[in-house]
Amino acid sequence: MPFGEIVCGSPGSGKSTYCQGKHQLFTALQRPIYIVNLDPANDNIPYPCAIDISELITLQEVMDEHGLGPNGGMLYCMEYLEKNFDWLEGKLGELGKEDGENGPADVYALFDLPGQVELSTNHESVKRIVDMLQSKCGFRLAAVHLCDAHYVTDAAKYISVLLLSLRTMLQLELPHINVLSKIDLIGNYGDLDFNLDFYTEVQDLTYLENSLSTSLSPRFQALNLAMISLIEDYNLVGFETLAVEDKSSMLHLTHAIDRATGYVFVPRPSNASSTHTSKNPQPEGTIDESHKPVSAQPNEYALFSSAAGPLKNTLMNMAGGGSAGTRFAEAKDVYDVRDVQERWLDAKDAWDAFEKREWRREGEKVRDEVARAKAMENEGGKSDPERGGGAK
Ligand SMILES: Nc1nc2c(ncn2[C@@H]2O[C@H](COP(=O)(O)OP(=O)(O)O)[C@@H](O)[C@H]2O)c(=O)[nH]1
Ligand SMILES: [Mg+2]
């Protein structure tokens, strides 16, 4: 069963960077992943692209041929893709056939969408493309909606991003994960009025009234209150956080997405034994369950990143040797938004310094290991009987 993510969000919210980060993470976890670029204006694609819409249509062509501007051109491109969905279906059908994979049935794909907000809020083409991915190609999808974390620094912007997230959720009708992206930059925008969990958990929004009434004309106060109560009535919006370069953050988000799509609950790909080749061996100490029926075997791709439950002690381990990480140094086993607050707001400098020390230590370790391996190789060469240097 193919699984995937519809990666959406405003221009510059970090969609392509997230796709690239996820590709790197999954490659490290030996979990296959394919990225489909559906943004015809994406010129510098930072990730290896399995399928690229620009093979079908480019924004520049459309603008030149039909005399359209960038926005109209983008809508045209999406309508064109909808009409030519067979092209996408054919390309998706080719995925996963190399490297002993199980073919398109077991593909995990990321769909990098264009940033025009109306595409995921009120234009119908993307919605119909998503529907066809599910009905024709059998994908189990989740929407991953990226919003720049900068929006939480201002009450009015925060309300607008809540409304945007709510509208996108209602439009796409998918299991939905809203994400405050670039959370590593949040400290640059000054102090927040509330702790981060107030924003991620969308707690009692009436607390925002004061800041809203000072930043806007009194005429709009009633409207603000009405919008706040609308968001609270639906009670649907919440946020995860993301800093692409931070492995714990990426793993935590992957965990949330795997639960939303249901990936953690499916058995592993039916030919997964073929992934344990000499090139891709089973990790040392793993219990070999290949004799059991596939349905009784754990989905190890998800296990590495997800099904194992909350990422126990990930950050605590990092904190073990340093002075940073006051919260993490306590015996705790859940990575939550308070950890994010400490990492990027309360103790950012201490954590940055700690990470730098860790990287240096890791670099030195690798250098020593390489030197040791070289020395052993040289010694082995000297004592090699075939070369005549060894004792007989
Ligand atoms: N500091 C930081 N910058 C990020 C992060 N994610 C994306 N960016 C930057 O945000 C900018 C826009 O990202 P991009 O992926 O092109 O956004 P897109 O238009 O949504 O695809 C780029 O300069 C990225 O380097 C992040 O997690 N942290
Ligand atoms: Mg992009």
Side-chain angles (χ1 to χ4, degrees):
M1 189 184 296
F3 283 81
E5 299 171 29
I6 300 293
V7 183
C8 57
S10 330
S13 55
K15 299 179 292 299
S16 302
T17 311
Y18 165 69
C19 291
Q20 182 197 18
K22 189 108 177 185
H23 188 273
Q24 285 174 352
L25 178 76
F26 273 34
T27 308
L29 292 171
Q30 300 187 344
R31 179 169 158 181
I33 185 167
Y34 298 90
I35 308 183
V36 180
N37 173 41
L38 294 186
D39 182 355
N42 231 347
D43 290 333
N44 299 316
I45 301 173
Y47 45 77
C49 201
I51 302 173
D52 188 354
I53 191 180
S54 63
E55 288 170 28
L56 179 74
I57 193 165
T58 66
L59 183 61
Q60 197 57 48
E61 271 167 23
V62 171
M63 286 165 61
D64 294 346
E65 234 170 78
H66 301 280
L68 291 167
N71 264 324
M74 188 60 83
L75 300 187
Y76 184 98
C77 289
M78 287 299 114
E79 286 168 15
Y80 191 82
L81 177 62
E82 184 196 339
K83 292 272 172 315
N84 293 279
F85 186 79
D86 294 351
W87 172 84
L88 183 59
E89 196 180 353
K91 291 267 179 190
L92 288 168
E94 290 300 308
L95 294 184
K97 289 192 172 162
E98 304 141 18
D99 300 336
E101 294 302 329
N102 206 27
D106 283 331
V107 153
Y108 192 93
L110 259 54
F111 297 88
D112 185 8
L113 284 198
Q116 263 72 0
V117 171
E118 65 264 44
L119 289 173
S120 40
T121 56
N122 41 7
H123 191 260
E124 289 296 319
S125 280
V126 165
K127 161 109 184 94
R128 286 197 281 258
I129 291 167
V130 167
D131 287 347
M132 285 191 279
L133 283 171
Q134 296 182 105
S135 59
K136 289 189 163 184
C137 309
F139 268 94
R140 291 283 180 95
L141 295 169
V144 178
H145 180 227
L146 301 185
C147 311
D148 199 312
H150 172 254
Y151 289 123
V152 306
T153 57
D154 177 284
K157 287 184 194 166
Y158 179 56
I159 294 292
S160 76
V161 87
L162 285 171
L163 285 172
L164 175 66
S165 303
L166 183 59
R167 180 66 201 126
T168 311
M169 292 170 91
L170 298 178
Q171 168 82 0
L172 291 180
E173 294 182 294
L174 286 175
H176 194 104
I177 302 212
N178 294 304
V179 181
L180 293 177
S181 60
K182 309 187 203 176
I183 202 75
D184 51 312
L185 300 180
I186 191 97
N188 299 354
Y189 310 125
D191 289 341
L192 295 179
D193 290 340
F194 304 97
N195 280 337
L196 205 52
D197 57 355
F198 174 85
Y199 300 98
T200 54
E201 289 163 16
V202 192
Q203 291 171 5
D204 190 349
L205 294 179
T206 46
Y207 283 107
L208 293 176
E209 265 179 64
N210 279 345
S211 356
L212 281 169
S213 51
T214 50
S215 63
L216 286 172
S217 120
R219 267 192 320 145
F220 292 115
Q221 270 189 37
L223 181 60
N224 278 329
L225 291 182
M227 287 194 291
I228 284 175
S229 88
L230 173 84
I231 294 161
E232 287 188 331
D233 285 352
Y234 273 91
N235 199 16
L236 280 175
V237 187
F239 293 95
E240 297 290 338
T241 58
L242 173 67
V244 170
E245 302 256 311
D246 182 36
K247 199 169 91 196
S248 309
S249 174
M250 283 292 281
L251 282 169
H252 178 75
L253 183 59
T254 300
H255 176 62
I257 295 168
D258 282 345
R259 275 181 303 167
T261 54
Y263 186 80
V264 286
F265 302 113
V266 298
R268 66 181 184 168
S270 50
N271 74 336
S273 56
S274 68
T275 59
H276 295 137
T277 56
S278 53
K279 193 179 115 201
N280 186 12
Q282 207 159 349
E284 208 179 313
T286 311
I287 299 166
D288 183 10
E289 297 194 285
S290 51
H291 57 282
K292 290 189 182 168
V294 167
S295 57
Q297 294 172 21
N299 181 350
E300 59 196 19
Y301 291 149
L303 254 176
F304 281 126
S305 52
S306 297
L311 293 161
K312 292 192 175 174
N313 301 335
T314 316
L315 292 172
M316 194 181 87
N317 289 340
M318 282 167 62
S323 58
T326 48
R327 251 176 66 73
F328 304 133
E330 298 158 16
K332 68 181 290 300
D333 60 2
V334 180
Y335 172 84
D336 70 16
V337 64
R338 284 167 301 163
D339 301 328
V340 180
Q341 161 117 10
E342 176 173 310
R343 172 62 188 91
W344 301 113
L345 281 164
D346 299 345
K348 183 174 185 300
D349 291 343
W351 268 97
D352 285 348
F354 169 72
E355 274 191 2
K356 229 181 232 172
R357 278 201 307 277
E358 285 299 295
W359 288 335
R360 195 174 317 126
R361 206 172 299 163
E362 248 172 58
E364 283 166 6
K365 210 169 123 195
V366 171
R367 203 187 51 205
D368 290 350
E369 269 168 21
V370 171
R372 206 172 310 130
K374 255 193 193 155
M376 278 172 71
E377 210 179 281
N378 287 343
E379 251 168 49
K382 270 186 217 153
S383 62
D384 186 345
E386 298 222 325
R387 296 189 198 178
K392 301 215 170 151

